[in-house]
Amino acid sequence: DADVTQTPRNRITKTGKRIMLECSQTKGHDRMYWYRQDPGLGLRLIYYSFDVKDINKGEISDGYSVSRQAQAKFSLSLESAIPNQTALYFCATSSVSGANVLTFGAGSRLTVL
Amino acid sequence: AQRVTQPEKLLSVFKGAPVELKCNYSYSGSPELFWYVQYSRQRLQLLLRHISRESIKGFTADLNKGETSFHLKKPFAQEEDSAMYYCALISGGSTLGRLYFGRGTQLTVWP
């Protein structure tokens, strides 16, 4: 069973549509993150949350929003998707007791036409 | 500001040859550095941490504060080492920090 589960795994949508990517974890970690991966640009942090009441912007938060519904759930929303948001999105979790080593989900591939 | 630089997007070696993936960082405090690896069709996963000073799958990485580098090395590359490798830095210490990644190096080990 996956420790960090992302849904959907693949999504094709049109410009202007609202999209939500969901992440749930069974590791009991307090910290959760959303990254996007683009060829040649590596992984860039979109948002992160150190506990349920804590939300922080990352390097590239414009055009995105997040919700930490519970310790185990962290969702990423694109309010009005645009083509340059086409990317592979990763959710990750960590804990201070685990030395902040990240556990990643399998990724959600989003294509915006 | 924190920066992690991996100067090589692509690196190819033959099986049995030594391999070195370069990582340089820019950070004003005491960094914590990591190497993460993404094998084909697998999730990103931790390869090693500088604090652990361990060897994983034959890879080692030494933190050189003078050169601000954390290069990943393996004396004899294997085909199964072919993967994308990311160097990462955590800022602000473990309790406060978040992880910054370099752009990655795609390693191909030819038979």
Side-chain angles (χ1 to χ4, degrees):
Chain A
D1 290 340
D3 292 322
V4 182
T5 302
Q6 293 183 229
T7 56
R9 293 291 312 281
N10 287 284
R11 182 73 183 268
I12 300 173
T13 190
K14 294 181 179 179
T15 297
K17 294 292 188 181
R18 184 177 187 273
I19 295 297
M20 179 179 286
L21 305 179
E22 298 186 336
C23 178
S24 63
Q25 52 116 346
T26 59
K27 295 191 72 68
H29 287 170
D30 47 355
R31 301 182 173 192
M32 298 187 75
Y33 310 78
W34 276 104
Y35 287 89
R36 67 176 277 177
Q37 184 183 47
D38 299 275
L41 296 179
L43 285 149
R44 292 180 291 169
L45 183 62
I46 306 172
Y47 271 96
Y48 62 105
S49 169
F50 281 0
D51 64 45
V52 175
K53 297 181 180 179
D54 176 74
I55 300 289
N56 303 282
K57 292 183 177 181
E59 304 164 77
I60 52 163
S61 58
D62 287 348
Y64 301 95
S65 62
V66 291
S67 174
R68 186 81 184 264
Q69 301 95 323
Q71 188 195 39
K73 295 184 183 296
F74 192 39
S75 59
L76 176 71
S77 293
L78 288 69
E79 296 301 326
S80 180
I82 56 176
N84 75 2
Q85 291 177 314
T86 293
L88 185 56
Y89 291 85
F90 286 102
C91 176
T93 71
S94 72
S95 68
V96 174
S97 61
N100 273 319
V101 172
L102 295 182
T103 299
F104 282 87
S108 295
R109 185 168 296 281
L110 176 66
T111 302
V112 184
L113 302 176
Chain B
Q2 293 74 224
R3 292 288 185 269
V4 179
T5 303
Q6 293 180 250
E8 303 140 328
K9 289 177 67 174
L10 303 170
L11 183 63
S12 295
V13 300
F14 285 101
K15 177 183 173 181
V19 62
E20 180 179 68
L21 291 87
K22 291 183 168 46
C23 173
N24 290 93
Y25 67 90
S26 172
Y27 183 60
S28 56
S30 292
E32 288 186 52
L33 287 150
F34 304 78
W35 277 98
Y36 280 80
V37 61
Q38 188 175 27
Y39 300 104
S40 179
R41 298 191 180 87
Q42 294 188 28
R43 301 181 183 210
L44 260 156
Q45 58 187 285
L46 177 71
L47 182 62
L48 52 79
R49 307 163 53 202
H50 91 270
I51 287 178
S52 302
R53 300 185 65 81
E54 57 196 344
S55 174
I56 303 293
K57 299 184 179 182
F59 284 98
T60 59
D62 291 320
L63 177 62
N64 185 323
K65 291 187 177 181
E67 296 182 359
T68 59
S69 68
F70 188 56
H71 302 329
L72 183 68
K73 301 176 183 179
K74 185 170 183 176
F76 306 104
Q78 303 299 314
E79 290 177 68
E80 56 265 29
D81 296 327
S82 295
M84 176 69 84
Y85 292 81
Y86 291 99
C87 182
L89 174 151
I90 191 163
S91 68
S94 294
T95 55
L96 297 175
R98 64 191 211 197
L99 208 59
Y100 293 88
F101 286 85
R103 295 189 173 193
T105 297
Q106 178 68 50
L107 173 66
T108 301
V109 181
W110 299 105

mmCIF file with all atom_site columns, all heavy atoms in Angstrom, chain A residues 35-57:
data_model
loop_
_atom_site.group_PDB
_atom_site.id
_atom_site.type_symbol
_atom_site.label_atom_id
_atom_site.label_alt_id
_atom_site.label_comp_id
_atom_site.label_asym_id
_atom_site.label_entity_id
_atom_site.label_seq_id
_atom_site.pdbx_PDB_ins_code
_atom_site.Cartn_x
_atom_site.Cartn_y
_atom_site.Cartn_z
_atom_site.occupancy
_atom_site.B_iso_or_equiv
_atom_site.pdbx_formal_charge
_atom_site.auth_seq_id
_atom_site.auth_comp_id
_atom_site.auth_asym_id
_atom_site.auth_atom_id
_atom_site.pdbx_PDB_model_num
ATOM 1   N N   . TYR A 1 35 ? 5.125  19.946 -5.072  1.00 0.00 ? 35 TYR A N   1
ATOM 2   C CA  . TYR A 1 35 ? 6.178  20.348 -6.001  1.00 0.00 ? 35 TYR A CA  1
ATOM 3   C C   . TYR A 1 35 ? 5.674  20.145 -7.427  1.00 0.00 ? 35 TYR A C   1
ATOM 4   O O   . TYR A 1 35 ? 4.837  19.291 -7.683  1.00 0.00 ? 35 TYR A O   1
ATOM 5   C CB  . TYR A 1 35 ? 7.425  19.478 -5.833  1.00 0.00 ? 35 TYR A CB  1
ATOM 6   C CG  . TYR A 1 35 ? 8.246  19.732 -4.603  1.00 0.00 ? 35 TYR A CG  1
ATOM 7   C CD1 . TYR A 1 35 ? 7.996  19.062 -3.412  1.00 0.00 ? 35 TYR A CD1 1
ATOM 8   C CD2 . TYR A 1 35 ? 9.310  20.630 -4.634  1.00 0.00 ? 35 TYR A CD2 1
ATOM 9   C CE1 . TYR A 1 35 ? 8.768  19.278 -2.278  1.00 0.00 ? 35 TYR A CE1 1
ATOM 10  C CE2 . TYR A 1 35 ? 10.091 20.856 -3.504  1.00 0.00 ? 35 TYR A CE2 1
ATOM 11  C CZ  . TYR A 1 35 ? 9.818  20.179 -2.344  1.00 0.00 ? 35 TYR A CZ  1
ATOM 12  O OH  . TYR A 1 35 ? 10.579 20.408 -1.232  1.00 0.00 ? 35 TYR A OH  1
ATOM 13  N N   . ARG A 1 36 ? 6.243  20.907 -8.356  1.00 0.00 ? 36 ARG A N   1
ATOM 14  C CA  . ARG A 1 36 ? 6.052  20.580 -9.754  1.00 0.00 ? 36 ARG A CA  1
ATOM 15  C C   . ARG A 1 36 ? 7.405  20.300 -10.392 1.00 0.00 ? 36 ARG A C   1
ATOM 16  O O   . ARG A 1 36 ? 8.430  20.901 -10.014 1.00 0.00 ? 36 ARG A O   1
ATOM 17  C CB  . ARG A 1 36 ? 5.295  21.669 -10.518 1.00 0.00 ? 36 ARG A CB  1
ATOM 18  C CG  . ARG A 1 36 ? 5.979  22.977 -10.703 1.00 0.00 ? 36 ARG A CG  1
ATOM 19  C CD  . ARG A 1 36 ? 5.148  23.939 -11.572 1.00 0.00 ? 36 ARG A CD  1
ATOM 20  N NE  . ARG A 1 36 ? 5.322  23.705 -12.990 1.00 0.00 ? 36 ARG A NE  1
ATOM 21  C CZ  . ARG A 1 36 ? 4.670  24.355 -13.950 1.00 0.00 ? 36 ARG A CZ  1
ATOM 22  N NH1 . ARG A 1 36 ? 3.758  25.280 -13.640 1.00 0.00 ? 36 ARG A NH1 1
ATOM 23  N NH2 . ARG A 1 36 ? 4.890  24.103 -15.225 1.00 0.00 ? 36 ARG A NH2 1
ATOM 24  N N   . GLN A 1 37 ? 7.365  19.351 -11.314 1.00 0.00 ? 37 GLN A N   1
ATOM 25  C CA  . GLN A 1 37 ? 8.585  18.946 -11.996 1.00 0.00 ? 37 GLN A CA  1
ATOM 26  C C   . GLN A 1 37 ? 8.446  19.266 -13.466 1.00 0.00 ? 37 GLN A C   1
ATOM 27  O O   . GLN A 1 37 ? 7.490  18.842 -14.124 1.00 0.00 ? 37 GLN A O   1
ATOM 28  C CB  . GLN A 1 37 ? 8.822  17.435 -11.798 1.00 0.00 ? 37 GLN A CB  1
ATOM 29  C CG  . GLN A 1 37 ? 10.119 16.927 -12.394 1.00 0.00 ? 37 GLN A CG  1
ATOM 30  C CD  . GLN A 1 37 ? 10.260 15.427 -12.238 1.00 0.00 ? 37 GLN A CD  1
ATOM 31  O OE1 . GLN A 1 37 ? 9.334  14.663 -12.514 1.00 0.00 ? 37 GLN A OE1 1
ATOM 32  N NE2 . GLN A 1 37 ? 11.420 14.975 -11.789 1.00 0.00 ? 37 GLN A NE2 1
ATOM 33  N N   . ASP A 1 38 ? 9.398  20.009 -13.980 1.00 0.00 ? 38 ASP A N   1
ATOM 34  C CA  . ASP A 1 38 ? 9.440  20.341 -15.398 1.00 0.00 ? 38 ASP A CA  1
ATOM 35  C C   . ASP A 1 38 ? 10.806 19.948 -15.943 1.00 0.00 ? 38 ASP A C   1
ATOM 36  O O   . ASP A 1 38 ? 11.816 20.157 -15.257 1.00 0.00 ? 38 ASP A O   1
ATOM 37  C CB  . ASP A 1 38 ? 9.231  21.841 -15.619 1.00 0.00 ? 38 ASP A CB  1
ATOM 38  C CG  . ASP A 1 38 ? 7.886  22.321 -15.117 1.00 0.00 ? 38 ASP A CG  1
ATOM 39  O OD1 . ASP A 1 38 ? 6.922  22.199 -15.892 1.00 0.00 ? 38 ASP A OD1 1
ATOM 40  O OD2 . ASP A 1 38 ? 7.781  22.792 -13.981 1.00 0.00 ? 38 ASP A OD2 1
ATOM 41  N N   . PRO A 1 39 ? 10.872 19.415 -17.137 1.00 0.00 ? 39 PRO A N   1
ATOM 42  C CA  . PRO A 1 39 ? 12.167 19.022 -17.708 1.00 0.00 ? 39 PRO A CA  1
ATOM 43  C C   . PRO A 1 39 ? 13.139 20.197 -17.720 1.00 0.00 ? 39 PRO A C   1
ATOM 44  O O   . PRO A 1 39 ? 12.815 21.286 -18.173 1.00 0.00 ? 39 PRO A O   1
ATOM 45  C CB  . PRO A 1 39 ? 11.799 18.596 -19.133 1.00 0.00 ? 39 PRO A CB  1
ATOM 46  C CG  . PRO A 1 39 ? 10.363 18.197 -19.054 1.00 0.00 ? 39 PRO A CG  1
ATOM 47  C CD  . PRO A 1 39 ? 9.748  19.112 -18.038 1.00 0.00 ? 39 PRO A CD  1
ATOM 48  N N   . GLY A 1 40 ? 14.330 19.961 -17.199 1.00 0.00 ? 40 GLY A N   1
ATOM 49  C CA  . GLY A 1 40 ? 15.349 20.998 -17.192 1.00 0.00 ? 40 GLY A CA  1
ATOM 50  C C   . GLY A 1 40 ? 15.227 21.988 -16.059 1.00 0.00 ? 40 GLY A C   1
ATOM 51  O O   . GLY A 1 40 ? 16.134 22.792 -15.833 1.00 0.00 ? 40 GLY A O   1
ATOM 52  N N   . LEU A 1 41 ? 14.123 21.952 -15.344 1.00 0.00 ? 41 LEU A N   1
ATOM 53  C CA  . LEU A 1 41 ? 13.932 22.888 -14.232 1.00 0.00 ? 41 LEU A CA  1
ATOM 54  C C   . LEU A 1 41 ? 13.905 22.196 -12.884 1.00 0.00 ? 41 LEU A C   1
ATOM 55  O O   . LEU A 1 41 ? 13.860 22.862 -11.847 1.00 0.00 ? 41 LEU A O   1
ATOM 56  C CB  . LEU A 1 41 ? 12.628 23.678 -14.420 1.00 0.00 ? 41 LEU A CB  1
ATOM 57  C CG  . LEU A 1 41 ? 12.566 24.583 -15.641 1.00 0.00 ? 41 LEU A CG  1
ATOM 58  C CD1 . LEU A 1 41 ? 11.208 25.280 -15.714 1.00 0.00 ? 41 LEU A CD1 1
ATOM 59  C CD2 . LEU A 1 41 ? 13.692 25.622 -15.617 1.00 0.00 ? 41 LEU A CD2 1
ATOM 60  N N   . GLY A 1 42 ? 13.923 20.896 -12.886 1.00 0.00 ? 42 GLY A N   1
ATOM 61  C CA  . GLY A 1 42 ? 13.937 20.169 -11.629 1.00 0.00 ? 42 GLY A CA  1
ATOM 62  C C   . GLY A 1 42 ? 12.625 20.262 -10.893 1.00 0.00 ? 42 GLY A C   1
ATOM 63  O O   . GLY A 1 42 ? 11.556 20.403 -11.492 1.00 0.00 ? 42 GLY A O   1
ATOM 64  N N   . LEU A 1 43 ? 12.712 20.194 -9.580  1.00 0.00 ? 43 LEU A N   1
ATOM 65  C CA  . LEU A 1 43 ? 11.530 20.253 -8.721  1.00 0.00 ? 43 LEU A CA  1
ATOM 66  C C   . LEU A 1 43 ? 11.450 21.627 -8.090  1.00 0.00 ? 43 LEU A C   1
ATOM 67  O O   . LEU A 1 43 ? 12.408 22.104 -7.474  1.00 0.00 ? 43 LEU A O   1
ATOM 68  C CB  . LEU A 1 43 ? 11.646 19.213 -7.612  1.00 0.00 ? 43 LEU A CB  1
ATOM 69  C CG  . LEU A 1 43 ? 11.411 17.788 -8.041  1.00 0.00 ? 43 LEU A CG  1
ATOM 70  C CD1 . LEU A 1 43 ? 12.229 16.839 -7.203  1.00 0.00 ? 43 LEU A CD1 1
ATOM 71  C CD2 . LEU A 1 43 ? 9.941  17.447 -7.901  1.00 0.00 ? 43 LEU A CD2 1
ATOM 72  N N   . ARG A 1 44 ? 10.309 22.242 -8.228  1.00 0.00 ? 44 ARG A N   1
ATOM 73  C CA  . ARG A 1 44 ? 10.108 23.553 -7.624  1.00 0.00 ? 44 ARG A CA  1
ATOM 74  C C   . ARG A 1 44 ? 8.931  23.499 -6.659  1.00 0.00 ? 44 ARG A C   1
ATOM 75  O O   . ARG A 1 44 ? 7.887  22.929 -6.971  1.00 0.00 ? 44 ARG A O   1
ATOM 76  C CB  . ARG A 1 44 ? 9.865  24.601 -8.708  1.00 0.00 ? 44 ARG A CB  1
ATOM 77  C CG  . ARG A 1 44 ? 11.102 24.862 -9.580  1.00 0.00 ? 44 ARG A CG  1
ATOM 78  C CD  . ARG A 1 44 ? 10.812 25.907 -10.634 1.00 0.00 ? 44 ARG A CD  1
ATOM 79  N NE  . ARG A 1 44 ? 9.880  25.420 -11.637 1.00 0.00 ? 44 ARG A NE  1
ATOM 80  C CZ  . ARG A 1 44 ? 9.298  26.192 -12.548 1.00 0.00 ? 44 ARG A CZ  1
ATOM 81  N NH1 . ARG A 1 44 ? 9.537  27.490 -12.561 1.00 0.00 ? 44 ARG A NH1 1
ATOM 82  N NH2 . ARG A 1 44 ? 8.474  25.666 -13.435 1.00 0.00 ? 44 ARG A NH2 1
ATOM 83  N N   . LEU A 1 45 ? 9.128  24.114 -5.511  1.00 0.00 ? 45 LEU A N   1
ATOM 84  C CA  . LEU A 1 45 ? 8.146  24.054 -4.434  1.00 0.00 ? 45 LEU A CA  1
ATOM 85  C C   . LEU A 1 45 ? 7.013  25.036 -4.690  1.00 0.00 ? 45 LEU A C   1
ATOM 86  O O   . LEU A 1 45 ? 7.252  26.222 -4.930  1.00 0.00 ? 45 LEU A O   1
ATOM 87  C CB  . LEU A 1 45 ? 8.838  24.362 -3.108  1.00 0.00 ? 45 LEU A CB  1
ATOM 88  C CG  . LEU A 1 45 ? 8.006  24.277 -1.841  1.00 0.00 ? 45 LEU A CG  1
ATOM 89  C CD1 . LEU A 1 45 ? 7.483  22.865 -1.622  1.00 0.00 ? 45 LEU A CD1 1
ATOM 90  C CD2 . LEU A 1 45 ? 8.851  24.714 -0.651  1.00 0.00 ? 45 LEU A CD2 1
ATOM 91  N N   . ILE A 1 46 ? 5.788  24.542 -4.617  1.00 0.00 ? 46 ILE A N   1
ATOM 92  C CA  . ILE A 1 46 ? 4.623  25.387 -4.853  1.00 0.00 ? 46 ILE A CA  1
ATOM 93  C C   . ILE A 1 46 ? 4.074  25.895 -3.515  1.00 0.00 ? 46 ILE A C   1
ATOM 94  O O   . ILE A 1 46 ? 3.961  27.104 -3.299  1.00 0.00 ? 46 ILE A O   1
ATOM 95  C CB  . ILE A 1 46 ? 3.526  24.613 -5.609  1.00 0.00 ? 46 ILE A CB  1
ATOM 96  C CG1 . ILE A 1 46 ? 4.080  24.004 -6.899  1.00 0.00 ? 46 ILE A CG1 1
ATOM 97  C CG2 . ILE A 1 46 ? 2.354  25.548 -5.939  1.00 0.00 ? 46 ILE A CG2 1
ATOM 98  C CD1 . ILE A 1 46 ? 3.098  23.070 -7.597  1.00 0.00 ? 46 ILE A CD1 1
ATOM 99  N N   . TYR A 1 47 ? 3.714  24.981 -2.645  1.00 0.00 ? 47 TYR A N   1
ATOM 100 C CA  . TYR A 1 47 ? 3.213  25.295 -1.311  1.00 0.00 ? 47 TYR A CA  1
ATOM 101 C C   . TYR A 1 47 ? 3.681  24.208 -0.355  1.00 0.00 ? 47 TYR A C   1
ATOM 102 O O   . TYR A 1 47 ? 3.945  23.084 -0.762  1.00 0.00 ? 47 TYR A O   1
ATOM 103 C CB  . TYR A 1 47 ? 1.681  25.315 -1.281  1.00 0.00 ? 47 TYR A CB  1
ATOM 104 C CG  . TYR A 1 47 ? 1.032  26.639 -1.593  1.00 0.00 ? 47 TYR A CG  1
ATOM 105 C CD1 . TYR A 1 47 ? 0.588  26.919 -2.886  1.00 0.00 ? 47 TYR A CD1 1
ATOM 106 C CD2 . TYR A 1 47 ? 0.841  27.598 -0.605  1.00 0.00 ? 47 TYR A CD2 1
ATOM 107 C CE1 . TYR A 1 47 ? -0.020 28.133 -3.179  1.00 0.00 ? 47 TYR A CE1 1
ATOM 108 C CE2 . TYR A 1 47 ? 0.223  28.814 -0.888  1.00 0.00 ? 47 TYR A CE2 1
ATOM 109 C CZ  . TYR A 1 47 ? -0.204 29.071 -2.178  1.00 0.00 ? 47 TYR A CZ  1
ATOM 110 O OH  . TYR A 1 47 ? -0.810 30.264 -2.467  1.00 0.00 ? 47 TYR A OH  1
ATOM 111 N N   . TYR A 1 48 ? 3.721  24.586 0.920   1.00 0.00 ? 48 TYR A N   1
ATOM 112 C CA  . TYR A 1 48 ? 4.003  23.591 1.933   1.00 0.00 ? 48 TYR A CA  1
ATOM 113 C C   . TYR A 1 48 ? 3.245  23.907 3.208   1.00 0.00 ? 48 TYR A C   1
ATOM 114 O O   . TYR A 1 48 ? 2.861  25.055 3.455   1.00 0.00 ? 48 TYR A O   1
ATOM 115 C CB  . TYR A 1 48 ? 5.514  23.440 2.200   1.00 0.00 ? 48 TYR A CB  1
ATOM 116 C CG  . TYR A 1 48 ? 6.214  24.670 2.716   1.00 0.00 ? 48 TYR A CG  1
ATOM 117 C CD1 . TYR A 1 48 ? 6.590  24.770 4.052   1.00 0.00 ? 48 TYR A CD1 1
ATOM 118 C CD2 . TYR A 1 48 ? 6.554  25.717 1.854   1.00 0.00 ? 48 TYR A CD2 1
ATOM 119 C CE1 . TYR A 1 48 ? 7.268  25.882 4.522   1.00 0.00 ? 48 TYR A CE1 1
ATOM 120 C CE2 . TYR A 1 48 ? 7.221  26.834 2.323   1.00 0.00 ? 48 TYR A CE2 1
ATOM 121 C CZ  . TYR A 1 48 ? 7.583  26.916 3.650   1.00 0.00 ? 48 TYR A CZ  1
ATOM 122 O OH  . TYR A 1 48 ? 8.248  28.018 4.123   1.00 0.00 ? 48 TYR A OH  1
ATOM 123 N N   . SER A 1 49 ? 3.085  22.873 4.009   1.00 0.00 ? 49 SER A N   1
ATOM 124 C CA  . SER A 1 49 ? 2.292  22.996 5.228   1.00 0.00 ? 49 SER A CA  1
ATOM 125 C C   . SER A 1 49 ? 2.968  22.190 6.322   1.00 0.00 ? 49 SER A C   1
ATOM 126 O O   . SER A 1 49 ? 3.214  20.996 6.152   1.00 0.00 ? 49 SER A O   1
ATOM 127 C CB  . SER A 1 49 ? 0.877  22.461 4.980   1.00 0.00 ? 49 SER A CB  1
ATOM 128 O OG  . SER A 1 49 ? 0.163  22.339 6.185   1.00 0.00 ? 49 SER A OG  1
ATOM 129 N N   . PHE A 1 50 ? 3.270  22.833 7.435   1.00 0.00 ? 50 PHE A N   1
ATOM 130 C CA  . PHE A 1 50 ? 3.961  22.142 8.531   1.00 0.00 ? 50 PHE A CA  1
ATOM 131 C C   . PHE A 1 50 ? 2.986  21.558 9.547   1.00 0.00 ? 50 PHE A C   1
ATOM 132 O O   . PHE A 1 50 ? 3.387  20.755 10.379  1.00 0.00 ? 50 PHE A O   1
ATOM 133 C CB  . PHE A 1 50 ? 4.960  23.068 9.200   1.00 0.00 ? 50 PHE A CB  1
ATOM 134 C CG  . PHE A 1 50 ? 6.250  23.225 8.433   1.00 0.00 ? 50 PHE A CG  1
ATOM 135 C CD1 . PHE A 1 50 ? 6.459  22.570 7.238   1.00 0.00 ? 50 PHE A CD1 1
ATOM 136 C CD2 . PHE A 1 50 ? 7.256  24.045 8.915   1.00 0.00 ? 50 PHE A CD2 1
ATOM 137 C CE1 . PHE A 1 50 ? 7.639  22.698 6.528   1.00 0.00 ? 50 PHE A CE1 1
ATOM 138 C CE2 . PHE A 1 50 ? 8.460  24.188 8.220   1.00 0.00 ? 50 PHE A CE2 1
ATOM 139 C CZ  . PHE A 1 50 ? 8.650  23.515 7.028   1.00 0.00 ? 50 PHE A CZ  1
ATOM 140 N N   . ASP A 1 51 ? 1.759  22.008 9.547   1.00 0.00 ? 51 ASP A N   1
ATOM 141 C CA  . ASP A 1 51 ? 0.703  21.325 10.275  1.00 0.00 ? 51 ASP A CA  1
ATOM 142 C C   . ASP A 1 51 ? -0.627 21.825 9.737   1.00 0.00 ? 51 ASP A C   1
ATOM 143 O O   . ASP A 1 51 ? -0.657 22.647 8.827   1.00 0.00 ? 51 ASP A O   1
ATOM 144 C CB  . ASP A 1 51 ? 0.824  21.489 11.800  1.00 0.00 ? 51 ASP A CB  1
ATOM 145 C CG  . ASP A 1 51 ? 0.665  22.932 12.252  1.00 0.00 ? 51 ASP A CG  1
ATOM 146 O OD1 . ASP A 1 51 ? -0.259 23.634 11.768  1.00 0.00 ? 51 ASP A OD1 1
ATOM 147 O OD2 . ASP A 1 51 ? 1.448  23.363 13.101  1.00 0.00 ? 51 ASP A OD2 1
ATOM 148 N N   . VAL A 1 52 ? -1.709 21.352 10.285  1.00 0.00 ? 52 VAL A N   1
ATOM 149 C CA  . VAL A 1 52 ? -3.030 21.612 9.716   1.00 0.00 ? 52 VAL A CA  1
ATOM 150 C C   . VAL A 1 52 ? -3.331 23.104 9.626   1.00 0.00 ? 52 VAL A C   1
ATOM 151 O O   . VAL A 1 52 ? -3.982 23.556 8.684   1.00 0.00 ? 52 VAL A O   1
ATOM 152 C CB  . VAL A 1 52 ? -4.114 20.884 10.533  1.00 0.00 ? 52 VAL A CB  1
ATOM 153 C CG1 . VAL A 1 52 ? -5.498 21.249 10.031  1.00 0.00 ? 52 VAL A CG1 1
ATOM 154 C CG2 . VAL A 1 52 ? -3.934 19.385 10.427  1.00 0.00 ? 52 VAL A CG2 1
ATOM 155 N N   . LYS A 1 53 ? -2.842 23.883 10.558  1.00 0.00 ? 53 LYS A N   1
ATOM 156 C CA  . LYS A 1 53 ? -3.160 25.315 10.564  1.00 0.00 ? 53 LYS A CA  1
ATOM 157 C C   . LYS A 1 53 ? -2.073 26.167 9.930   1.00 0.00 ? 53 LYS A C   1
ATOM 158 O O   . LYS A 1 53 ? -2.102 27.401 10.021  1.00 0.00 ? 53 LYS A O   1
ATOM 159 C CB  . LYS A 1 53 ? -3.398 25.775 12.009  1.00 0.00 ? 53 LYS A CB  1
ATOM 160 C CG  . LYS A 1 53 ? -4.591 25.104 12.667  1.00 0.00 ? 53 LYS A CG  1
ATOM 161 C CD  . LYS A 1 53 ? -4.798 25.604 14.079  1.00 0.00 ? 53 LYS A CD  1
ATOM 162 C CE  . LYS A 1 53 ? -5.994 24.915 14.731  1.00 0.00 ? 53 LYS A CE  1
ATOM 163 N NZ  . LYS A 1 53 ? -6.198 25.380 16.131  1.00 0.00 ? 53 LYS A NZ  1
ATOM 164 N N   . ASP A 1 54 ? -1.146 25.522 9.277   1.00 0.00 ? 54 ASP A N   1
ATOM 165 C CA  . ASP A 1 54 ? -0.002 26.233 8.720   1.00 0.00 ? 54 ASP A CA  1
ATOM 166 C C   . ASP A 1 54 ? 0.075  26.021 7.216   1.00 0.00 ? 54 ASP A C   1
ATOM 167 O O   . ASP A 1 54 ? 0.152  24.877 6.745   1.00 0.00 ? 54 ASP A O   1
ATOM 168 C CB  . ASP A 1 54 ? 1.288  25.720 9.386   1.00 0.00 ? 54 ASP A CB  1
ATOM 169 C CG  . ASP A 1 54 ? 2.527  26.346 8.784   1.00 0.00 ? 54 ASP A CG  1
ATOM 170 O OD1 . ASP A 1 54 ? 2.787  27.523 9.069   1.00 0.00 ? 54 ASP A OD1 1
ATOM 171 O OD2 . ASP A 1 54 ? 3.234  25.650 8.026   1.00 0.00 ? 54 ASP A OD2 1
ATOM 172 N N   . ILE A 1 55 ? 0.033  27.110 6.448   1.00 0.00 ? 55 ILE A N   1
ATOM 173 C CA  . ILE A 1 55 ? 0.166  27.048 4.996   1.00 0.00 ? 55 ILE A CA  1
ATOM 174 C C   . ILE A 1 55 ? 1.187  28.100 4.588   1.00 0.00 ? 55 ILE A C   1
ATOM 175 O O   . ILE A 1 55 ? 1.112  29.248 5.029   1.00 0.00 ? 55 ILE A O   1
ATOM 176 C CB  . ILE A 1 55 ? -1.172 27.363 4.291   1.00 0.00 ? 55 ILE A CB  1
ATOM 177 C CG1 . ILE A 1 55 ? -2.261 26.371 4.694   1.00 0.00 ? 55 ILE A CG1 1
ATOM 178 C CG2 . ILE A 1 55 ? -0.972 27.374 2.765   1.00 0.00 ? 55 ILE A CG2 1
ATOM 179 C CD1 . ILE A 1 55 ? -2.083 24.981 4.150   1.00 0.00 ? 55 ILE A CD1 1
ATOM 180 N N   . ASN A 1 56 ? 2.126  27.705 3.739   1.00 0.00 ? 56 ASN A N   1
ATOM 181 C CA  . ASN A 1 56 ? 3.168  28.626 3.313   1.00 0.00 ? 56 ASN A CA  1
ATOM 182 C C   . ASN A 1 56 ? 3.369  28.565 1.815   1.00 0.00 ? 56 ASN A C   1
ATOM 183 O O   . ASN A 1 56 ? 3.305  27.489 1.218   1.00 0.00 ? 56 ASN A O   1
ATOM 184 C CB  . ASN A 1 56 ? 4.505  28.258 3.994   1.00 0.00 ? 56 ASN A CB  1
ATOM 185 C CG  . ASN A 1 56 ? 4.401  28.247 5.489   1.00 0.00 ? 56 ASN A CG  1
ATOM 186 O OD1 . ASN A 1 56 ? 4.407  29.281 6.137   1.00 0.00 ? 56 ASN A OD1 1
ATOM 187 N ND2 . ASN A 1 56 ? 4.275  27.056 6.061   1.00 0.00 ? 56 ASN A ND2 1
ATOM 188 N N   . LYS A 1 57 ? 3.659  29.711 1.234   1.00 0.00 ? 57 LYS A N   1
ATOM 189 C CA  . LYS A 1 57 ? 3.954  29.752 -0.191  1.00 0.00 ? 57 LYS A CA  1
ATOM 190 C C   . LYS A 1 57 ? 5.379  29.263 -0.445  1.00 0.00 ? 57 LYS A C   1
ATOM 191 O O   . LYS A 1 57 ? 6.284  29.526 0.348   1.00 0.00 ? 57 LYS A O   1
ATOM 192 C CB  . LYS A 1 57 ? 3.800  31.176 -0.729  1.00 0.00 ? 57 LYS A CB  1
ATOM 193 C CG  . LYS A 1 57 ? 2.376  31.686 -0.739  1.00 0.00 ? 57 LYS A CG  1
ATOM 194 C CD  . LYS A 1 57 ? 2.295  33.081 -1.347  1.00 0.00 ? 57 LYS A CD  1
ATOM 195 C CE  . LYS A 1 57 ? 0.850  33.546 -1.408  1.00 0.00 ? 57 LYS A CE  1
ATOM 196 N NZ  . LYS A 1 57 ? 0.744  34.899 -2.019  1.00 0.00 ? 57 LYS A NZ  1
#
